[in-house]
Amino acid sequence: MENFPTLLAYGVCLACAAAAICTLGVFATGNMARQPEVAGTIQTVFILGAAFIEALTLLAFVLGLIGG
């Protein structure tokens, strides 16, 4: 039970990352539906955005392990 705050922080971090990626996906899908001719560009930007969000999440996880 002594590790509960750390586990809660990890859970919140993962939930925020999942919400951010889902929001990014919703906006990317909506924009691709409005302008199908730029779908390739939007898809590339979506993949890069999701990669950056995951990288920041992993960084937060590792820093939490080191500091916690």
Side-chain angles (χ1 to χ4, degrees):
M1 214 50 187
E2 61 195 36
N3 289 335
F4 181 72
T6 304
L7 293 174
L8 182 64
Y10 292 152
V12 168
C13 184
L14 291 175
C16 288
I21 291 174
C22 288
T23 304
L24 188 65
V26 165
F27 285 119
T29 306
N31 287 331
M32 281 189 267
R34 283 189 208 101
Q35 293 181 331
E37 63 273 3
V38 293
T41 305
I42 293 172
Q43 186 176 11
T44 303
V45 171
F46 166 72
I47 291 171
L48 282 173
F52 284 133
I53 292 169
E54 277 198 43
L56 288 174
T57 304
L58 287 174
L59 180 66
F61 181 73
V62 169
L63 289 177
L65 286 177
I66 291 172

